[in-house]
Amino acid sequence: MARPSTEPTVSTAPTGSTAPTGSTEPTDPARVRRRWSHAATAALGMVVCLATAPAGHAAESARGAAAGAARPGLAPAASWTSRDAAAYWTSERMAAAAPGRDDTPGGSASASGTAAAAPAAEPAKPAAEPAKPAAEPAKPAAQVPNIAQHFDGVPSVGVLFSVDGDARTHHCTASVVHSPHRNLILTAGHCNPGSHAAFVPQYRSGATTQPYGVWAIEESFAYDDRGTTGDKADLDFAFATVAPAEDGRSLEEVTGGNLLTPTPGYTNDVTVIGYPNVRNDPADRAVRCAARTARLTGTRELRMDCGGFYGGTSGSPWLTDLDDETGTGRVIGVIGGLNGGGPKGPHGDRTSYSPYFGGKILSLYSRAARS
């Protein structure tokens, strides 16, 4: 496909400013409003996340495969606050959300700074998956110069938890994006949080208290025609607003935020940060990788090559100008797009895709930032 004909050159403004301007309104934008509660139907004590797509990056179970197939439900009447989210997602519930004995591959957790662990065996693929791209399969191990490293994470990147369906553990990665109300996160479009969803910045597996709290997701914003195949994959991104903390502070006030920035071109030096789920990476820790992007042949998407980005890393931000002191930078992409963010097959974790950020994402941001 041709490169987007319009590539805005603006980024989101500093704190206190308005949403970016100069972007093109989508022809059929979907402002998907959800207040993830459904208290009457959510099973009490249900553990989180969906069955992972192991070879790529799609949200667990069939979420990636069915992206955009149905419009999520509108906001229910019942409230869902960050206090509710913190009360529900206790350390015990998070620990209980780990996959059962048949789901966790063998191997011990890696120490800080070590390469992300590979699963002992390739788990079965979901029953329904998007078609494999015809071009640019994942590189074999000998051709992949980078392997993601475990580290302690940064406050502006975390995980999504929810209690929908057969939810198990965190199913996607999300990041804080600067906005006027300082309450916005960015993830992949196929990462449908579901009811009673929560965002946990700089998630720490097994921690009694999460270092930056647990935040209730209020509303979600995505395109109805997003997907993970064909042109629909170019819209595989979404925003969500989160409720303030119990003391009234906003999310960005606590964690800092990244600047949403139009993709400056197909060749960029980025740092990608994500959270593989424990089924694919028993360490259950954040990983990071510095890589150079390129164009994904036959599409208007980006690709980068780095091993260790297993299922659960959908929505991982692609950051430029990352400040190690603040843990923030400019976000020019997210793991998502074609096939949910990467090729299928035994080496799918070694190559990741991202939609190209242009007028469509800036227009969606403008809508989300007004909430």
Side-chain angles (χ1 to χ4, degrees):
M1 292 179 193
R3 179 171 174 167
S5 58
T6 302
E7 295 173 13
T9 57
V10 297
S11 63
T12 58
T15 302
S17 66
T18 59
T21 60
S23 59
T24 303
E25 287 292 312
T27 58
D28 185 20
R31 176 180 178 176
V32 186
R33 302 179 58 87
R34 298 173 285 189
R35 303 226 178 246
W36 314 112
S37 48
H38 296 297
T41 57
L44 182 61
M46 181 180 293
V47 293
V48 283
C49 210
L50 311 165
T52 303
H57 315 276
E60 301 178 46
S61 189
R63 288 190 192 267
R71 186 183 183 117
L74 297 177
S79 65
W80 174 242
T81 67
S82 289
R83 180 176 183 177
D84 296 331
Y88 184 89
W89 289 116
T90 62
S91 58
E92 291 79 10
R93 273 207 174 99
M94 287 184 182
R101 63 184 184 279
D102 295 331
D103 295 332
T104 306
S108 58
S110 301
S112 178
T114 58
E122 187 69 19
K125 295 177 183 177
E129 292 183 318
K132 182 177 180 178
E136 301 203 35
K139 293 184 178 182
Q143 298 180 35
V144 178
N146 292 339
I147 299 293
Q149 304 292 308
H150 289 118
F151 79 123
D152 289 338
V154 295
S156 67
V157 182
V159 301
L160 296 177
F161 279 90
S162 71
V163 297
D164 267 7
D166 293 327
R168 293 183 177 216
T169 197
H170 48 88
H171 65 279
C172 274
T173 300
S175 59
V176 184
V177 174
H178 169 70
S179 65
H181 298 299
R182 312 182 81 178
N183 64 344
L184 207 59
I185 60 174
L186 169 68
T187 189
H190 66 265
C191 292
N192 182 355
S195 65
H196 282 147
F199 173 64
V200 184
Q202 200 170 354
Y203 165 73
R204 297 288 177 86
S205 179
T208 301
T209 303
Q210 293 298 321
Y212 292 91
V214 179
W215 302 75
I217 294 178
E218 291 187 311
E219 301 179 66
S220 178
F221 300 82
Y223 286 98
D224 274 345
D225 53 348
R226 71 194 184 280
T228 55
T229 59
D231 292 343
K232 293 181 177 181
D234 296 339
L235 301 176
D236 190 25
F237 42 74
F239 295 96
T241 57
V242 299
E246 189 174 354
D247 62 6
R249 289 184 298 169
S250 67
L251 174 63
E252 192 180 334
E253 197 176 345
V254 174
T255 64
N258 302 302
L259 290 175
L260 178 68
T261 304
T263 306
Y266 286 105
T267 303
N268 308 279
D269 291 319
V270 296
T271 299
V272 182
I273 299 174
Y275 284 84
N277 57 54
V278 70
R279 176 177 178 177
N280 294 307
D281 185 350
D284 199 20
R285 300 181 62 202
V287 298
R288 67 184 289 171
C289 186
R292 177 161 289 185
T293 68
R295 186 171 186 169
L296 176 61
T297 302
T299 76
R300 51 177 98 175
E301 296 184 17
L302 305 175
R303 65 171 285 163
M304 70 96 181
D305 295 301
C306 184
F309 286 92
Y310 300 102
T313 59
S314 285
S316 298
W318 296 26
L319 301 167
T320 62
D321 302 323
L322 178 63
D323 186 326
D324 287 331
E325 184 174 342
T326 64
T328 61
R330 297 178 181 272
V331 56
I332 66 167
V334 294
I335 290 183
L338 191 62
N339 288 343
K344 297 189 292 182
H347 305 304
D349 68 288
R350 297 172 183 166
T351 301
S352 300
Y353 306 153
S354 169
Y356 196 100
F357 284 6
K360 287 286 190 179
I361 194 170
L362 293 178
S363 181
L364 186 65
Y365 168 87
S366 296
R367 292 173 177 273
R370 290 197 291 266
S371 296

